[in-house]
Amino acid sequence: MTMPTEQPTPEPGPGAGNTPRPVPVPYAPEGTLAGDSAHDPAEAPFLGLLATGAAAEEYERPVLRARAGGAAAGRLASLERAKLLALRVRAELEDRRRREAELSALYATAHDLAGLRDLDAVLRAIVRRARSLLGTEVAYLTLNDPSAGDTYMRVTDGSVSARFQQLRLGMGEGLGGLVAQTARPYVTDSYFHDERFRHTHTIDSGVQDEGLVAILGVPLMLGSGVIGVLFAADRRERVFEHGQIALLAAHAAHAAVAIDTANLLAETRKTLTELEAANEIIRDRSAVIERASDVHDRLTELVLRGGGVQDVAGAVAEVLHGEVEFTEPGGAPAEALDRSRADGHAVRDGADWVAAVGAGGEVLGALVLRGHPALDPVDQRTLERAAMVTSLLLLARRTAGEAEQRVRGELLDDLLNAADRDPRLLRERAARVGADLDAPHVVLAARTDGPRPDDAHSHGTDRHRLRSAASHLAATRRGLAAVRDGGAVLLLPLGPDDDPAHTARETAARLGAALHLPVTVGASAPVPAPAARPAAVADAYAEARRCREALGALGRVGQGAAAADFGFLGLLLADTRDVDGFVHRTLGAVTDYDARRGTELLRTLGAYFACGMSPARTKDALHVHVNTVAQRLDRVSRLLGPDWQTPARALEIQLALRLHQLSSGVAGDTGA
């Protein structure tokens, strides 16, 4: 490099505070060192200037003074040579001081970067220090994206443009893309006038938004590969010297190592996190296995000491930390129960889990784990084992209870066959099996219906399963059950809010769910006290059978019903011939309204049917205005429902009107 004959005083660079201060040396104003004679060599005054670190313009003064003092030409030439030599020495000293400052700054940078562990903090520190080292207005860093095959803006310092901060550069595009592709530094004094690299609209727009002009980019190298580019830029034209390029490149080398270290630390942390997660999974697996072993031991102990189904549910609930309930076949979700029975595994039903409890194709119930949507596979297997143990307990209890079932069946047979049995003996026998024959009961006649193979073995199997299911249901309801006439007969107690029709439907559903076959059930009218009137049980059974046969004739197999469900046909099916009950069920809303309001809706209804359902003839028969008839019929529609004039309803209503007229002694076609 050719040194100028005169240089301005350099600005203190980064790290200038660490530059060694010059040692003070006395300086004689006349250009001689203190204590020297007037015949000192020409270099003497300049040595003093070098020693004191004087400005460059001070080196011209000894020559000017000598020329003004009339010094000889030889003396002036010697001073001029000494001046140039001194300036050269001064420039060398300044260069060394600058290099020392840069090295000091690089050392501080390396020290700072070595103390950082977070990648984002490392990148921000790299960009800030690059801007500080070169004294630029903006510094930024891009990282390569191997998957996309480009490089993207990662961190900026001093940037004000959002578009610039979101730039992505293809390899070879713009100055940064060229650096990333070639792994060589590139510098431009004026970006938009530099044709050495490929300009694109996106990149140029971002650079223009930021207002950048002079840009220096150096690669971030790891081994022989480029991981990104570090930039320093100004918003005015500027020449980046070789020393500044080398300084930024050295900083980039430290930065690449720091980035690699931060990435390795991040990967280490990720690995440690994954190891901790794996360790947590192992601990969970171990805990699950311990729970499974615990529940296995508990269930074994329960079986050995004769525990019941609820004990099993309680043990599983404690181990699985949830609520476990044993339900009858009709109490569990039908779809989930069918899936569990078909798969042989516990299945999820919303937030619950259902495990079917069955044996030999018969569903005995289900274990339901409530409020546990995320169930571990081992815990799921635990629930399934508990269901298996429950089925074994139920089978054992069924075997032990078959004798009791025979006793119940024999007692019901005696009630059906021997009307002259001693009521006292009947009560005693009922008390032994937990039945109360002095309470109201209902007699139910059940029969399996459905497509089955036409062979004796299949029918026999169905009858056996029906008997088992009916006996189980009767035992749980504190009633009696027996096999009779190819089906089952049950005698079940009625609660205060129970009615025969509802009991029949419920029984059909529960037996059908247990057998997975349609079961048709007919119910009798209530039997007040079977022990007091044993003969009433046989009559009630005959009524229940007629209701069951009527369901079959009407195509309503698999359902349950009582005589009250058949409308006026119930009068023919029921032994009690409950005329008043039929009339009240059919016309009760109208008669009650007339009684409360003093209206004549029932009389109008009778006249309406007597007049062929003609409002015009009805108003003549009642001697009222036709609007009055229309208003009364509208009120009837509100009381009986909008379908009261359909043929089936109209027939029942007319029959009820006729029975009401006969029972109340009222005659006449108009109901008057």
Side-chain angles (χ1 to χ4, degrees):
M1 175 185 293
T2 302
M3 299 298 297
T5 59
E6 185 173 330
Q7 291 185 338
T9 303
E11 297 293 334
N18 297 327
T19 304
R21 301 182 63 183
V23 179
V25 177
Y27 172 63
E30 294 301 323
T32 61
L33 294 175
D36 287 346
S37 67
H39 300 288
D40 286 337
E43 293 85 356
F46 300 108
L47 289 175
L49 292 173
L50 288 172
T52 58
E57 57 268 20
E58 294 291 334
Y59 287 75
E60 192 67 31
R61 290 182 181 178
V63 178
L64 294 175
R65 281 196 297 269
R67 186 176 289 117
R75 174 66 175 173
L76 292 176
S78 296
L79 286 174
E80 192 68 35
R81 287 193 298 271
K83 181 192 73 172
L84 295 176
L85 181 61
L87 286 173
R88 185 176 300 174
V89 172
R90 181 183 180 279
E92 184 68 24
L93 289 174
E94 288 296 327
D95 185 61
R96 291 188 179 186
R97 291 190 188 103
R98 180 180 58 79
R99 289 178 181 273
E100 183 182 351
E102 291 174 353
L103 289 174
S104 177
L106 283 176
Y107 175 79
T109 299
H111 181 271
D112 293 344
L113 292 179
L116 297 174
R117 295 294 181 266
D118 179 67
L119 179 60
D120 288 336
V122 168
L123 296 177
R124 287 193 297 270
I126 290 170
V127 173
R128 282 197 304 268
R129 188 57 64 92
R131 183 183 177 193
S132 173
L133 284 174
L134 271 69
T136 56
E137 296 174 281
V138 181
Y140 51 99
L141 182 147
T142 63
L143 291 179
N144 289 2
D145 185 349
S147 60
D150 62 5
T151 181
Y152 64 97
M153 193 71 69
R154 184 65 169 80
V155 181
T156 64
D157 189 64
S159 171
V160 296
S161 167
R163 179 187 297 183
F164 180 76
Q165 295 165 13
Q166 298 172 3
L167 278 180
R168 296 188 75 95
L169 296 78
M171 291 298 180
E173 294 179 354
L175 184 142
L178 192 60
V179 174
Q181 184 181 47
T182 63
R184 294 174 56 190
Y186 274 86
V187 62
T188 179
D189 301 337
S190 179
Y191 176 84
F192 291 101
H193 297 93
D194 198 330
E195 300 299 331
R196 291 177 300 161
F197 42 82
R198 181 153 53 96
H199 290 264
T200 67
H201 174 73
T202 301
I203 299 173
D204 286 358
S205 297
V207 174
Q208 188 172 20
D209 267 9
E210 191 61 56
L212 300 183
V213 177
I215 303 174
L216 166 61
V218 296
L220 293 167
M221 303 286 295
L222 272 182
S224 60
V226 179
I227 63 171
V229 180
L230 179 61
F231 298 87
D234 268 336
R235 296 186 176 92
R236 54 186 173 79
E237 289 192 8
R238 168 177 175 172
V239 175
F240 290 97
E241 298 178 355
H242 290 292
Q244 292 174 319
I245 298 173
L247 178 61
L248 189 61
H251 180 57
H254 287 303
V257 173
I259 292 172
D260 188 43
T261 302
N263 283 330
L264 290 175
L265 287 173
E267 291 177 3
T268 302
R269 292 193 195 99
K270 180 180 178 182
T271 302
L272 288 174
T273 302
E274 292 174 351
L275 288 175
E276 289 176 359
N279 191 36
E280 186 66 26
I281 292 173
I282 291 172
R283 285 197 296 268
D284 289 344
R285 294 293 91 201
S286 177
V288 167
I289 292 173
E290 289 179 4
R291 289 201 306 271
S293 176
D294 182 29
V295 76
H296 181 270
D297 294 341
R298 292 192 184 193
L299 294 178
T300 302
E301 181 184 357
L302 282 174
V303 172
L304 292 177
R305 65 180 174 85
V309 172
Q310 298 305 324
D311 296 325
V312 173
V316 177
E318 185 176 350
V319 172
L320 298 184
H321 305 291
E323 178 187 350
V324 178
E325 178 187 4
F326 173 76
T327 64
E328 300 292 334
E335 190 270 338
L337 187 61
D338 289 340
R339 284 192 292 122
S340 178
R341 182 183 65 86
D343 297 343
H345 298 289
V347 298
R348 182 174 172 179
D349 181 59
D352 303 335
W353 285 83
V354 178
V357 176
E362 178 184 356
V363 177
L364 305 177
L367 282 183
V368 181
L369 174 62
R370 303 195 183 280
H372 230 306
L375 191 61
D376 187 273
V378 177
D379 289 341
Q380 180 181 343
R381 182 59 181 160
T382 297
L383 182 63
E384 294 165 0
R385 288 182 178 176
M388 186 181 302
V389 172
T390 302
S391 66
L392 293 175
L393 290 176
L394 290 176
L395 287 177
R397 188 174 68 181
R398 174 182 292 183
T399 302
E402 284 182 352
E404 179 184 337
Q405 293 175 12
R406 284 195 295 272
V407 172
R408 292 176 183 272
E410 291 171 358
L411 176 57
L412 183 53
D413 283 336
D414 287 346
L415 286 170
L416 292 170
N417 296 331
D420 56 349
R421 292 285 183 178
D422 184 355
R424 181 180 60 82
L425 294 178
L426 292 174
R427 292 189 182 96
E428 290 178 358
R429 292 171 60 187
R432 294 192 190 104
V433 294
D436 180 13
L437 294 184
D438 287 321
H441 281 65
V442 61
V443 177
L444 303 164
R447 182 183 65 196
T448 57
D449 292 285
R452 298 288 298 179
D454 190 14
D455 59 80
H457 175 72
S458 297
H459 288 300
T461 301
D462 289 347
R463 285 196 298 271
H464 176 74
R465 294 172 60 205
L466 177 61
R467 180 185 64 183
S468 298
S471 298
H472 177 69
L473 177 60
T476 58
R477 291 285 301 273
R478 304 177 72 85
L480 306 176
V483 176
R484 202 174 188 86
D485 301 322
V489 55
L490 298 92
L491 182 66
L492 300 181
L494 284 175
D497 299 327
D498 294 338
D499 66 84
H502 174 74
T503 303
R505 289 190 291 272
E506 182 183 25
T507 302
R510 296 182 68 173
L511 294 179
L515 273 66
H516 291 280
L517 283 172
V519 178
T520 307
V521 178
S524 70
V527 180
R533 296 180 58 245
V537 177
D539 295 337
Y541 173 57
E543 178 182 339
R545 285 189 63 190
R546 287 194 293 272
C547 290
R548 185 190 68 190
E549 298 302 325
L551 285 173
L554 295 173
R556 294 170 57 185
V557 297
Q559 300 182 24
D565 292 323
F566 294 98
F568 71 90
L569 292 177
L571 296 175
L572 305 176
L573 299 174
D575 288 330
T576 56
R577 303 294 189 269
D578 185 13
V579 174
D580 291 339
F582 170 73
V583 172
H584 183 74
R585 286 193 299 273
T586 308
L587 298 175
V590 177
T591 57
D592 292 345
Y593 188 88
D594 280 348
R596 291 195 310 269
R597 303 293 182 90
T599 55
E600 295 184 339
L601 297 183
L602 193 65
R603 179 168 174 262
T604 302
L605 192 58
Y608 179 68
F609 281 116
C611 294
M613 303 176 71
S614 169
R617 291 200 296 271
T618 302
K619 62 98 175 175
D620 294 336
L622 296 177
H623 307 292
V624 296
H625 195 274
V626 69
N627 289 341
T628 302
V629 174
Q631 291 171 0
R632 291 179 181 179
L633 293 179
D634 181 63
R635 176 59 62 181
V636 169
S637 294
R638 296 183 185 180
L639 295 172
L640 298 183
D643 64 337
W644 69 275
Q645 297 189 68
T646 60
R649 286 289 307 279
L651 177 61
E652 288 194 357
I653 292 171
Q654 291 180 71
L655 178 59
L657 284 169
R658 180 65 64 183
L659 292 173
H660 176 71
Q661 293 166 4
L662 293 175
S663 62
S664 60
V666 179
D669 291 338
T670 64

